[in-house]
């Protein structure tokens, strides 16, 4: 089968050149006569890759030297747990802004470790699980006693995205960037801590990157279990036990791909063009395609919309697949269509998709 | 460079056919037009792989239907934490048999959650970190109040291995099998829980397999954080968040490779032949090669020995590398040589190595 246009929400597409390099190096990586999966993490070859990937991440993000890059496992869900465990405890409080399903998930785990307040809760109706918008700066009611403020920069399920970095009045700002990290230029120095499961814009599942400013890292609790304390990851450069080496290797190749393609400035322009094409199609369809998120809160990564009927949604998914455009079905709680146009989706892929949407609409009137 | 003979202690060698298949499927797995890294873990293709790998693991182990197979992350180190967190607590006790560095590591984390007793502590001198033997059944002093008994079936650092399954008088038996799992036939039904980081005999780092008997799983604590409670892995078949898909894919290929090669019976015979060749060389070297573990406790997986001088140890590592035999250096606390002859090391590899050892000894007299 030939390669498809892949809108998976995650694990998601990986740039073709990255996969080709991984394929070509599978039996002999870095002239070792082994796969990268087969070398000791204590050896010089892997060590250079590992430390080099941390440096490359800092370079792509434009992070100064006072940030540590940590490689953890268990996805963003493990960070839902590690962040509060490392900073909260008896009598401590934290702010969690609720903008979607995963933001709620983060807040839920945090409640085990402290008192959680919500500067904004964007759930349309309590218990509905429905979210369509990002709060405005003026709507945020910050808790002066919070140890930190946490938010989710892009809501994968709901197709909404923050288009500004909230001003949290000097509190440490923490962010789950799993589904839009490195999709655009951003002043990453505004964050005390940010994290991302790799499986959307950074590579395969299996590794989660956590970037932490040293002054915030210094405040993390001591004496936590080695696998859960940020300080053990810092102390041993995330090598206190065997790291997920292959996922880190692909992360390295993806970071190099971003760099080679002009860095976040160029990537941001590409994604901007992609989202304009896709939302342009939705907005010019005279209501045939109906976007699910509020216009000003739309995500450039996850484009959620519905067709006139659920039957047409299903036919869209089926016909798209036949046309080589796959994984377009919306999240189970949302229905409709979700096009996750992460970094590896090209402008050409999007142009092909827009043409398909045009044709589908013509052939299948409401 | 051509493929080398790889004695890495972990991440370790992977069967060549497995790597070749992974290479060939890198751009198009299972006729999806995507890499296995690029498909949603909620889709039918990945789901079949994931569930099929659990079944295959049970089949290779000969486990009955009342065992669950869980896929976790964070290596065996995360299990050092999860096991006691799931079963201990205020006033609870557990037995940890100490036979090496990693057994100590497991016991150390367990102390956070309960009172830990040691049916045997094989450290040669307290605080020395030196271990050379496995205790005999009669030496085990079991704690009648223990919730479970934990041991480490193979000690990767020290080159020792249990050659029997201890009788723990009806207590749930738990075992870290990271470095000898599926190296030989074993009655896995004797265990209430066993686990292994994949990166020695099962595939790449990034996934840890935990097999648990249902009656023991039922006793795990409820209400733990989703990423740390065994029951959340059970409830969602280890899909409550994105699993480390690529590592599980390679695990699947390795399990199929074991099955195709005759299962554990045949693998055990191969490993037995390999260890006889290597220890035979050591024992017939008139003391030139000196084994580090007690003879009756020797590991078939990690063959540790020293040459007459530290200089000759270094020369051995260097000359072996030049001869295409790599990663032979001993663990940092042990010195000397460690040949980790896991499943992917072939009899032919070992024969080549024995010839090299013979030649080296002749050329470099003590």
């Amino acid at each position: 089968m030939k390669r498809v246009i892949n809108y998976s929400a995650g694990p998601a597409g990986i740039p073709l050149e990255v996969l080709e390099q991984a394929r070509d190096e599978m039996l002999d990586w870095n002239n070792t006569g082994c796969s990268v999966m087969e070398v000791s993490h204590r050896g010089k070859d892997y060590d250079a890759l590992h430390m080099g990937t941390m440096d490359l991440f800092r370079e792509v993000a434009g992070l100064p030297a006072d940030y540590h890059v940590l490689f953890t496992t268990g996805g963003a869900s493990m960070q839902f747990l590690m962040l509060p465990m490392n900073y909260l405890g008896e009598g401590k409080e934290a702010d969690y802004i609720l903008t979607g399903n995963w933001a709620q998930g983060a807040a839920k785990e945090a409640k085990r470790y402290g008192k959680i307040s919500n500067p904004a809760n964007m759930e349309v109706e309590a218990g509905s699980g429905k979210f369509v918008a990002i709060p405005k700066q003026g709507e945020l009611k910050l808790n002066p006693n919070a140890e930190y403020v946490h938010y989710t920069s892009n809501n994968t399920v709901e197709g909404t995205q923050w288009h500004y970095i909230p001003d949290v009045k000097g509190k440490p700002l923490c962010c789950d960037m799993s589904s839009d990290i490195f999709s655009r230029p951003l002043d990453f120095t505004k964050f005390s801590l940010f994290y991302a499961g790799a499986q959307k814009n950074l590579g395969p599942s299996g590794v989660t990157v956590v970037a932490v400013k040293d002054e915030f890292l210094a405040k993390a609790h001591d004496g936590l279990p080695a696998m859960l304390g940020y300080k053990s990851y810092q102390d041993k450069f995330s090598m206190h036990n065997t790291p997920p080496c292959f996922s880190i290797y692909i992360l390295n190749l993806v970071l190099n791909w971003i760099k080679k393609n002009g860095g976040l400035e160029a990537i941001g322009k590409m994604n901007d063009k992609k989202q304009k094409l896709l939302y342009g199609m939705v907005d010019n369809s005279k209501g045939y395609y109906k976007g699910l998120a509020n216009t000003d809160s739309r995500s450039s990564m996850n484009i959620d919309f519905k067709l006139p009927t659920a039957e047409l949604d299903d036919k869209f998914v089926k016909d798209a697949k036949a046309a080589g455009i796959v994984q377009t079905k919306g999240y189970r709680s949302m229905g409709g269509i979700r096009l996750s146009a992460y970094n590896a989706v090209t402008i050409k892929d999007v142009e092909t998709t827009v043409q398909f949407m045009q044709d589908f609409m013509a052939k299948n009137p409401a």
Side-chain angles (χ1 to χ4, degrees), chain A residues 1 3 10 28 51 127 131 147 186 200 243 264 285 309 347 354:
Chain A
M1 189 174 183
R3 294 273 299 167
D28 181 11
M51 302 305 291
F131 295 84
E147 297 294 320
L186 208 63
K200 282 103 163 45
L264 299 189
S285 71
T309 65
I347 290 174
V354 166

Side-chain angles (χ1 to χ4, degrees), chain A residues 7-39:
Chain A
Y7 285 110
S8 176
I14 291 175
L16 182 59
E17 296 119 276
V18 167
L19 294 175
E20 286 170 339
Q21 185 172 347
R23 176 196 63 194
D24 296 344
E25 297 179 341
M26 185 58 81
L27 303 191
D28 181 11
W29 168 71
N30 208 27
N31 208 28
T32 57
C34 304
S35 160
V36 65
M37 288 182 263
E38 299 178 296
V39 298

Side-chain angles (χ1 to χ4, degrees), chain A residues 241-252:
Chain A
N241 79 331
T242 316
C245 305
F246 187 81
S247 294
I248 291 168
Y249 158 72
I250 299 287
L251 166 62
N252 182 284

Side-chain angles (χ1 to χ4, degrees), chain A residues 326-363:
Chain A
V326 308
Q327 310 205 61
T328 61
K329 198 175 158 66
Y331 188 77
R332 52 194 187 278
S333 68
M334 298 287 288
I337 305 298
R338 173 170 57 176
L339 303 181
S340 296
Y342 299 124
N343 288 354
V345 173
T346 66
I347 290 174
K348 187 159 171 289
D349 290 342
V350 166
E351 286 168 347
T352 304
T353 307
V354 166
Q355 187 60 55
F356 169 82
M357 288 171 73
Q358 189 73 54
D359 296 347
F360 186 91
M361 182 167 70
K363 279 185 229 162

Side-chain angles (χ1 to χ4, degrees), chain A residues 225-297:
Chain A
M227 295 309 294
L228 298 176
Y230 286 132
K231 284 186 176 165
S232 38
Y233 288 82
Q234 173 189 19
D235 290 347
K236 297 286 176 66
F237 297 98
S238 306
M239 291 257 240
H240 47 308
N241 79 331
T242 316
C245 305
F246 187 81
S247 294
I248 291 168
Y249 158 72
I250 299 287
L251 166 62
N252 182 284
L253 299 186
V254 170
L255 292 171
N256 269 310
W257 175 86
I258 292 175
K259 194 176 154 184
K260 210 174 59 187
N261 281 278
L264 299 189
E265 202 65 49
I267 295 282
K269 277 183 191 146
M270 173 188 74
N271 285 326
D272 200 44
K273 190 159 180 188
K274 282 155 54 184
Q275 68 146 323
K276 279 186 179 132
L277 285 165
L278 289 168
Y279 285 120
M281 177 69 228
V282 167
D283 292 339
N284 293 322
S285 71
K286 301 196 168 104
Y288 185 84
Y289 297 114
K290 197 169 174 315
L292 302 186
N294 285 4
T295 310
D296 63 358
S297 299

